[in-house]
């Protein structure tokens, strides 16, 4: 850990894993965009579906996971991204197993009704509903994340081979655009079309398109942050060490 490159990898990886885990657990809440922003519902109509623009709360954090993926890709290459992607999947599964163990514990009698005056008459039921996400949802999320990460790293390096070290925004945004197109629809298809809710295809296409549109918009909005992060890393590592890391990542 005396090596600055090693410390950098740990920090980037920790931030990626932390955001992914939080996104998985808070993603159970669906929020309406327009009321959140103090606006009237847009009553959008897409694939025959209409209403307010709704997203999972986890979607707010996933763009930062994509950003960390691209930064790790830039300095530590395919092996770095693949390692942290598999580690993230393992930790997500571990997190849900821990949640299911906690749900199965017999609740203390006083705790069940402790928040009844605040509108939560049964804390055990509330806890189980928030943390006990269905297996189809977990399977869809984990599968989509892993496929998206593997596609992201492949597209990132394909663009890098074509453009060299120019246009980091293009390889970062381009890889995110392709990977998240797959991710946005795979997770919904497994969790809600194949799963017990049996969503109709028009609803699946509408929700998937809205979520992908948000992720694509965020990919462009985060372009300045890519350059800021790169500048910070270069200042931390030094020009020589930074260029050496990038060269090794490019070569592998």
């Amino acid at each position: 850990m005396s090596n600055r490159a090693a410390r950098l990898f740990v920090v980037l990886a920790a931030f990626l894993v932390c955001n992914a885990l939080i996104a998985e657990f808070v993603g159970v809440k669906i929020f309406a965009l327009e009321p959140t922003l103090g606006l009237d519902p847009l009553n959008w109509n897409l694939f025959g579906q209409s209403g307010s623009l709704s997203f999972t709360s986890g979607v707010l954090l996933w763009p930062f996971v994509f950003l960390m993926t691209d930064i790790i890709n830039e300095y530590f290459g395919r092996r770095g991204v693949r390692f942290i992607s598999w580690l993230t999947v393992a930790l997500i599964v571990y997190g849900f197993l821990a949640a299911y163990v906690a749900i199965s514990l017999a609740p203390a009698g006083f705790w069940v009704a402790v928040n009844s005056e605040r509108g939560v008459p049964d804390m055990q039921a509330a806890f189980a509903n928030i943390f006990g996400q269905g297996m189809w949802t977990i399977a869809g999320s984990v599968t989509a994340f892993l496929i998206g990460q593997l596609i992201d790293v492949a597209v990132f390096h394909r663009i890098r081979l074509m453009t060299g070290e120019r246009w980091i925004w293009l390889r970062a945004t381009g890889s995110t655009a392709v990977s998240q197109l797959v991710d946005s629809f795979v997770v919904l298809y497994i969790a809600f079309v194949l799963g017990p809710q049996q969503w109709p295809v028009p609803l699946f296409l509408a929700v998937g398109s809205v979520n992908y549109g948000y992720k694509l918009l965020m990919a462009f909005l985060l372009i300045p942050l890519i350059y800021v992060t790169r500048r910070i890393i270069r200042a931390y590592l030094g020009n020589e060490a930074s260029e050496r890391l990038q060269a090794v990542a490019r070569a592998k």
Side-chain angles (χ1 to χ4, degrees), residues 162-199:
M162 295 170 60
T163 62
E165 289 306 301
R166 298 171 296 163
W167 305 334
I168 182 177
W169 69 269
L170 180 61
R171 56 181 177 269
T173 307
S175 60
T176 297
V178 176
S179 65
Q180 294 316 303
L181 176 62
V182 177
D183 177 281
S184 298
F185 288 94
V186 168
V187 62
L188 294 176
Y189 187 78
I190 295 175
F192 301 114
V193 178
L194 294 180
Q197 294 191 34
Q198 298 287 298
W199 277 12

Coordinates of all heavy atoms in Angstrom, one line a residue, residues 162-199:
M162 N -9.0 2.8 -31.8 CA -9.3 3.5 -33.0 C -8.9 5.0 -32.8 O -8.5 5.6 -33.8 CB -10.8 3.5 -33.2 CG -11.4 2.1 -33.6 SD -13.2 2.0 -33.6 CE -13.5 3.2 -34.9
T163 N -8.9 5.5 -31.6 CA -8.6 7.0 -31.5 C -7.3 7.3 -30.7 O -6.9 8.4 -30.6 CB -9.8 7.6 -30.7 OG1 -9.9 7.0 -29.4 CG2 -11.1 7.4 -31.4
G164 N -6.7 6.3 -30.2 CA -5.5 6.5 -29.4 C -5.8 7.2 -28.1 O -6.9 6.8 -27.5
E165 N -5.0 8.1 -27.6 CA -5.2 8.7 -26.3 C -6.1 10.0 -26.4 O -6.3 10.6 -25.4 CB -3.9 9.1 -25.7 CG -3.1 7.9 -25.2 CD -3.9 7.0 -24.2 OE1 -4.4 7.5 -23.2 OE2 -4.1 5.8 -24.6
R166 N -6.5 10.3 -27.6 CA -7.4 11.4 -27.8 C -8.8 11.1 -27.4 O -9.2 10.0 -27.3 CB -7.4 11.9 -29.3 CG -6.0 12.3 -29.9 CD -6.2 12.5 -31.4 NE -6.5 11.2 -32.0 CZ -7.0 11.1 -33.3 NH1 -7.2 12.2 -34.0 NH2 -7.2 9.9 -33.8
W167 N -9.6 12.1 -27.1 CA -11.0 12.0 -26.9 C -11.4 11.0 -25.8 O -12.2 10.1 -26.1 CB -11.7 11.7 -28.2 CG -11.4 12.6 -29.3 CD1 -11.0 13.9 -29.2 CD2 -11.4 12.3 -30.7 NE1 -10.8 14.5 -30.5 CE2 -11.1 13.5 -31.4 CE3 -11.7 11.2 -31.5 CZ2 -11.0 13.6 -32.8 CZ3 -11.6 11.2 -32.9 CH2 -11.3 12.4 -33.5
I168 N -10.9 11.2 -24.6 CA -11.3 10.3 -23.6 C -12.8 10.3 -23.3 O -13.4 9.3 -23.0 CB -10.6 10.7 -22.2 CG1 -11.0 9.7 -21.1 CG2 -10.8 12.1 -21.8 CD1 -10.2 9.9 -19.8
W169 N -13.4 11.5 -23.6 CA -14.9 11.6 -23.4 C -15.6 10.7 -24.4 O -16.7 10.1 -24.0 CB -15.3 13.1 -23.7 CG -15.2 13.5 -25.2 CD1 -14.1 14.1 -25.7 CD2 -16.2 13.3 -26.2 NE1 -14.4 14.3 -27.1 CE2 -15.6 13.8 -27.4 CE3 -17.5 12.7 -26.2 CZ2 -16.3 13.8 -28.6 CZ3 -18.2 12.7 -27.4 CH2 -17.6 13.2 -28.6
L170 N -15.0 10.4 -25.6 CA -15.7 9.6 -26.5 C -15.7 8.1 -26.1 O -16.7 7.4 -26.2 CB -15.0 9.7 -27.9 CG -15.6 8.9 -29.0 CD1 -17.1 9.2 -29.3 CD2 -14.8 9.0 -30.3
R171 N -14.5 7.6 -25.6 CA -14.5 6.2 -25.2 C -15.2 6.0 -23.9 O -15.8 4.9 -23.7 CB -13.0 5.7 -25.1 CG -12.1 6.5 -24.2 CD -10.7 5.8 -24.3 NE -9.7 6.5 -23.5 CZ -8.9 7.5 -24.0 NH1 -9.0 7.9 -25.2 NH2 -8.0 8.1 -23.2
A172 N -15.2 7.0 -23.0 CA -16.0 6.8 -21.8 C -17.5 6.9 -22.0 O -18.2 6.0 -21.6 CB -15.6 7.9 -20.8
T173 N -17.9 7.9 -22.8 CA -19.4 8.0 -23.1 C -19.9 7.0 -24.0 O -21.0 6.4 -23.9 CB -19.6 9.4 -23.6 OG1 -19.1 10.4 -22.8 CG2 -21.1 9.7 -23.8
G174 N -19.0 6.6 -25.0 CA -19.4 5.6 -26.0 C -19.6 4.3 -25.4 O -20.6 3.6 -25.7
S175 N -18.7 3.9 -24.5 CA -18.8 2.6 -23.9 C -20.0 2.5 -22.9 O -20.7 1.5 -22.9 CB -17.5 2.3 -23.1 OG -17.2 3.2 -22.1
T176 N -20.2 3.6 -22.3 CA -21.4 3.7 -21.4 C -22.7 3.6 -22.2 O -23.6 2.9 -21.8 CB -21.4 5.0 -20.5 OG1 -20.2 5.0 -19.7 CG2 -22.6 5.1 -19.7
A177 N -22.8 4.3 -23.3 CA -24.0 4.3 -24.1 C -24.3 2.9 -24.6 O -25.5 2.5 -24.5 CB -23.8 5.2 -25.3
V178 N -23.3 2.1 -25.0 CA -23.6 0.8 -25.5 C -23.9 -0.2 -24.3 O -24.9 -0.9 -24.4 CB -22.4 0.2 -26.3 CG1 -22.6 -1.2 -26.7 CG2 -22.1 1.1 -27.5
S179 N -23.1 -0.1 -23.3 CA -23.3 -1.1 -22.2 C -24.6 -0.9 -21.4 O -25.3 -1.8 -21.0 CB -22.1 -1.0 -21.2 OG -22.1 0.3 -20.6
Q180 N -25.0 0.4 -21.2 CA -26.2 0.7 -20.5 C -27.4 0.5 -21.3 O -28.5 0.3 -20.8 CB -26.1 2.1 -19.9 CG -25.1 2.3 -18.9 CD -25.0 1.1 -17.9 OE1 -26.0 0.8 -17.3 NE2 -23.9 0.4 -17.8
L181 N -27.3 0.5 -22.6 CA -28.5 0.1 -23.5 C -28.8 -1.4 -23.2 O -30.0 -1.7 -23.0 CB -28.1 0.2 -25.0 CG -29.2 -0.2 -25.9 CD1 -30.5 0.6 -25.8 CD2 -28.7 -0.1 -27.4
V182 N -27.8 -2.2 -23.0 CA -28.0 -3.6 -22.7 C -28.5 -3.7 -21.2 O -29.5 -4.4 -20.9 CB -26.8 -4.4 -22.9 CG1 -27.0 -5.9 -22.5 CG2 -26.3 -4.4 -24.4
D183 N -27.8 -3.1 -20.3 CA -28.1 -3.2 -18.9 C -29.5 -2.8 -18.6 O -30.2 -3.4 -17.8 CB -27.1 -2.3 -18.1 CG -27.4 -2.2 -16.6 OD1 -28.3 -1.5 -16.2 OD2 -26.7 -2.9 -15.9
S184 N -30.0 -1.6 -19.2 CA -31.3 -1.1 -18.8 C -32.4 -2.0 -19.2 O -33.4 -2.1 -18.5 CB -31.5 0.2 -19.6 OG -30.5 1.2 -19.2
F185 N -32.3 -2.8 -20.2 CA -33.3 -3.7 -20.6 C -33.2 -5.1 -20.1 O -34.2 -5.8 -19.8 CB -33.4 -3.8 -22.2 CG -34.0 -2.5 -22.8 CD1 -33.1 -1.5 -23.2 CD2 -35.3 -2.3 -22.9 CE1 -33.6 -0.3 -23.7 CE2 -35.8 -1.1 -23.4 CZ -35.0 -0.1 -23.8
V186 N -31.9 -5.6 -19.9 CA -31.7 -6.9 -19.3 C -32.3 -7.0 -17.9 O -33.0 -8.0 -17.5 CB -30.2 -7.3 -19.3 CG1 -30.0 -8.6 -18.5 CG2 -29.8 -7.6 -20.7
V187 N -32.0 -6.0 -17.1 CA -32.5 -6.1 -15.7 C -34.0 -6.1 -15.6 O -34.6 -6.8 -14.8 CB -31.9 -4.9 -14.9 CG1 -32.3 -3.5 -15.4 CG2 -32.3 -5.0 -13.4
L188 N -34.7 -5.3 -16.4 CA -36.1 -5.2 -16.4 C -36.7 -6.5 -16.9 O -37.7 -7.0 -16.4 CB -36.6 -4.0 -17.2 CG -36.3 -2.7 -16.6 CD1 -36.8 -1.6 -17.5 CD2 -36.9 -2.5 -15.2
Y189 N -36.1 -7.1 -18.0 CA -36.6 -8.3 -18.6 C -36.6 -9.5 -17.6 O -37.6 -10.2 -17.5 CB -35.8 -8.6 -19.9 CG -36.5 -9.7 -20.7 CD1 -37.6 -9.5 -21.5 CD2 -36.0 -11.0 -20.6 CE1 -38.2 -10.5 -22.2 CE2 -36.5 -12.0 -21.3 CZ -37.6 -11.8 -22.1 OH -38.2 -12.8 -22.8
I190 N -35.4 -9.6 -17.0 CA -35.3 -10.7 -16.0 C -36.2 -10.5 -14.8 O -36.9 -11.4 -14.4 CB -33.8 -10.9 -15.6 CG1 -33.0 -11.3 -16.8 CG2 -33.7 -12.0 -14.5 CD1 -31.5 -11.4 -16.5
A191 N -36.2 -9.3 -14.2 CA -36.8 -9.0 -13.0 C -38.4 -9.0 -13.1 O -39.1 -9.4 -12.3 CB -36.3 -7.8 -12.4
F192 N -38.8 -8.4 -14.2 CA -40.3 -8.0 -14.3 C -41.0 -8.7 -15.4 O -42.3 -8.8 -15.4 CB -40.4 -6.5 -14.4 CG -39.8 -5.8 -13.2 CD1 -38.8 -5.0 -13.3 CD2 -40.4 -6.0 -11.9 CE1 -38.2 -4.3 -12.3 CE2 -39.8 -5.3 -10.8 CZ -38.7 -4.5 -11.0
V193 N -40.3 -9.1 -16.5 CA -41.0 -9.8 -17.6 C -41.0 -11.3 -17.3 O -42.0 -12.0 -17.3 CB -40.4 -9.5 -19.0 CG1 -41.1 -10.3 -20.1 CG2 -40.5 -8.0 -19.2
L194 N -39.8 -11.9 -17.1 CA -39.7 -13.3 -16.8 C -40.1 -13.6 -15.3 O -40.6 -14.7 -15.0 CB -38.2 -13.8 -16.9 CG -37.6 -13.7 -18.3 CD1 -36.2 -14.2 -18.3 CD2 -38.5 -14.6 -19.3
G195 N -40.0 -12.6 -14.4 CA -40.3 -12.7 -13.0 C -41.8 -12.8 -12.8 O -42.6 -12.7 -13.8
P196 N -42.3 -12.9 -11.6 CA -43.7 -13.2 -11.3 C -44.6 -12.0 -11.6 O -45.8 -12.2 -11.8 CB -43.7 -13.4 -9.7 CG -42.4 -12.8 -9.3 CD -41.4 -12.9 -10.4
Q197 N -44.1 -10.8 -11.8 CA -45.0 -9.7 -12.1 C -45.5 -9.7 -13.6 O -46.5 -9.2 -13.9 CB -44.3 -8.3 -11.9 CG -44.0 -8.1 -10.4 CD -43.6 -6.7 -10.1 OE1 -44.0 -5.7 -10.8 NE2 -42.7 -6.5 -9.2
Q198 N -44.7 -10.4 -14.5 CA -45.1 -10.6 -15.9 C -45.6 -9.3 -16.6 O -46.7 -9.2 -17.1 CB -46.3 -11.6 -15.9 CG -45.9 -13.0 -15.4 CD -45.0 -13.8 -16.3 OE1 -45.4 -14.1 -17.4 NE2 -43.9 -14.1 -15.8
W199 N -44.6 -8.4 -16.6 CA -44.9 -7.1 -17.2 C -45.3 -7.3 -18.7 O -44.6 -8.1 -19.4 CB -43.7 -6.2 -17.2 CG -43.6 -5.4 -15.9 CD1 -44.3 -5.6 -14.7 CD2 -42.7 -4.3 -15.7 NE1 -43.8 -4.7 -13.8 CE2 -42.9 -3.9 -14.3 CE3 -41.7 -3.7 -16.4 CZ2 -42.1 -2.9 -13.8 CZ3 -41.0 -2.6 -15.9 CH2 -41.2 -2.2 -14.6

